[in-house]
Amino acid sequence: MSVVNDIVRGADRVLIQERGPGVPEGIYGAECMSCEAVSPLFDDDSLPVAVWALQHSQDRPDHTLFLARTECHWRVVPRPDDPPPAASSGSDFLGPAFVGLMCLLTALSGLLPALTS
Ligand SMILES: [Zn+2]
């Protein structure tokens, strides 16, 4: 699935970067670190932000440091169908361990009163 770009997979949900018609790959913006000035946001193009920063620095020559941001949309979607693990393989693996643990607990619970009395 080439369109879906997984970022993080959860148990039954996947976080992907939203793509498609009308969805920008990146939203660019910048803010001046010397004052409150913030650039407009531009879709898919960092050049207007760079021009804004240069113009701002021309207006105020001591304002030379900017925080540039690229934002994008994330979406959480149901996890695409993976081949479900066979039910028997899980219980085959867990079964003996579980029975062993129960035996151990039973043995310990029988042992503890003997030790404390
Ligand atoms: Zn400034």
Side-chain angles (χ1 to χ4, degrees), residues 32-37 52 56 60 63 65-66:
C32 178
M33 299 301 285
S34 306
C35 71
E36 303 284 304
W52 174 87
H56 183 72
R60 298 163 178 240
H63 294 197
L65 184 63
F66 297 88

